[in-house]
Structures are given as C-alpha cells and as structure tokens.
Amino acid sequence: QIQLVQSGAEVKKPGASVKVSCKASGYTFTSYDISWVRQAPGQGLEWMGWISAYNGDTNFAQNLQGRVTMTTDTSTSTAYMELTSLRSDDTAVYYCATGATADYWGQGTLITVSS
Amino acid sequence: DIAMTQTPLSSPVTLGQPASISCRSSQSLVHSDGNTYLSWLQQRPGQPPRLLIYKISNRFSGVPDRFSGSGAGTDFTLKISRVEAEDVGVYYCMQATQSPWTFGQGTKVEIK
C-alpha cells in the first residue's frame, strides 16, 4: 500500500531554516508528483507547491517564492521541503501528499518557530 | 487564484441523518483536458487529511458509499447519506485544475 512517512517535529528560531523529509513507499516514486501543504494551528489548508518526482520540475505558491525549495532523491524515494528565513507565522503542520491530486498524505510534521 | 467558498462552515447532524456541504469556485474548474479537478477531503481530529472524492464524483479507494459528490462548473456538493460517528471532522473541497491549488475554508461536521 502507498505510504508517505515524514520526519519528526522540530522547533526552530526565527530566521532559521528547516528541512522536512517525506519517504514514499508502495509505488514507483517517479510516477507521481509530490505536493506540500501546510496547516497553521486551528486553521485551514494552504498549498505550498509541488515537485515532479520524474524530472524535478517545481511550482511554488507565490507567497513562498524565494524561501522554499523542494527536492527529491529517487534513490531513496524521498522528497524534501526546505523553508528558510522562518517566521512565527510559519508555525504549522507540514504535509506531503502524492497521487494525481493529493490522493495519499503523510502523517504531518509540526514545525514550531519560536524565540 | 481560484477562490473556493464552502457552506455551511458548521453542520451539526443527528446520527443516521444526511448531511450536505456546498462548495463554489470563483471560476470554472473545467481543465483544458476536459476533466474537473475538484476533490473532497476529510480531516478527522488530530489526523492528516484523507481523500474522499476526486474529479467531482469518484469515490477514492476504501471510501464508504454513503459519501457522494456531484456538481459541475463552479458548484459542487458533498453528501453523506447517513452520518456515522466516525464521520465527525472537517471537510474541505479542493481544486487542482489551476495552480495554485486552493482549498475551501472547511466545514466542521459534528454530532448533535
């Protein structure tokens, strides 16, 4: 069965960077894009962008341009999302998702930004 | 960006009774390939979102048949024929027709 397993929760200071991993299993990794979605505490869902696991093409939300990087390692079927210059309003649960339209979701990674 | 508007934002329902959630998009969700990439997600408390319905009306693998989706163009509906206790949570519509993908605000389904 298709599974996405994400890295654990982290606490970061404002201005720092964070890199979240998302390890896929149960399907051919390069068959689907990986999308990243975040959810601030008590809030709704916000799409951050996606990366093609096939050729590395990316598409990011405009409000994150310049601060977000998405990469993949096909040898380990793992996707990564790095967010730099963290601010307090980046505190959220970060999800990876795969499939034609976010069919399968990871368990989420809580990133807390606090001084 | 395509705005997605859900109504109601809260839906108290009696067990065994139906529930219905509407979602309206600010522009047509028909893609140039002819498909309409409108999905419904369920998020139970403390859980990640889970895909229920894709391309308006297709139930995802393992989703009970009490869930159904309908609509076209800019107006869409999720129906639960008979609400069960495990259906408590927040439901989101999501469009993936145009980048950036966008979500509705969420509708909280709770038991009366």
Side-chain angles (χ1 to χ4, degrees):
Chain A
Q1 74 282 20
I2 294 177
Q3 273 195 307
L4 299 175
V5 179
Q6 299 183 221
S7 48
E10 300 199 48
V11 179
K12 295 292 185 180
K13 292 198 182 301
S17 299
V18 69
K19 192 170 186 176
V20 179
S21 68
C22 170
K23 183 170 176 59
S25 61
Y27 72 102
T28 301
F29 183 66
T30 52
S31 294
Y32 296 122
D33 300 339
I34 298 280
S35 299
W36 291 88
V37 174
R38 67 180 180 177
Q39 185 172 39
Q43 302 300 308
L45 302 169
E46 178 191 10
W47 180 80
M48 300 178 67
W50 58 254
I51 179 167
S52 166
Y54 176 71
N55 61 13
D57 283 352
T58 54
N59 185 8
F60 304 134
Q62 194 159 15
N63 66 323
L64 294 173
Q65 293 272 2
R67 289 206 300 137
V68 67
T69 304
M70 295 179 188
T71 57
T72 59
D73 181 346
T74 55
S75 68
T76 59
S77 300
T78 303
Y80 298 92
M81 186 284 299
E82 183 173 23
L83 192 60
T84 62
S85 302
L86 289 168
R87 311 186 292 242
S88 58
D89 62 357
D90 291 317
T91 293
V93 176
Y94 289 75
Y95 296 102
C96 61
T98 193
T101 50
D103 304 355
Y104 300 92
W105 292 65
Q107 84 275 20
T109 297
L110 175 62
I111 303 299
T112 303
V113 183
S114 173
S115 53
Chain B
D1 297 2
I2 297 177
M4 305 294 287
T5 304
Q6 287 182 230
T7 53
L9 298 184
S10 178
S11 180
V13 185
T14 301
L15 284 173
Q17 292 301 301
S20 180
I21 302 169
S22 294
C23 176
R24 177 167 289 178
S25 57
S26 60
Q27 56 188 272
S28 173
L29 297 186
V30 180
H31 192 275
S32 56
D33 66 6
N35 290 305
T36 299
Y37 294 101
L38 185 283
S39 300
W40 289 95
L41 307 172
Q42 175 196 60
Q43 188 173 32
R44 291 170 171 151
Q47 297 293 311
R50 165 198 177 200
L51 179 66
L52 293 178
I53 303 284
Y54 63 98
K55 288 195 281 186
I56 303 177
S57 59
N58 297 275
R59 268 189 305 277
F60 192 58
S61 174
V63 174
D65 61 7
R66 65 178 180 274
F67 291 95
S68 64
S70 62
T74 61
D75 286 284
F76 307 93
T77 303
L78 174 71
K79 291 184 179 174
I80 310 174
S81 59
R82 294 172 305 279
V83 171
E84 298 190 4
E86 66 179 18
D87 300 336
V88 165
V90 180
Y91 291 77
Y92 297 93
C93 59
M94 180 194 88
Q95 69 81 22
T97 290
Q98 182 185 112
S99 181
W101 293 5
T102 47
F103 299 88
Q105 316 96 300
T107 296
K108 188 172 186 177
V109 171
E110 52 194 0
I111 306 300
K112 274 186 193 173

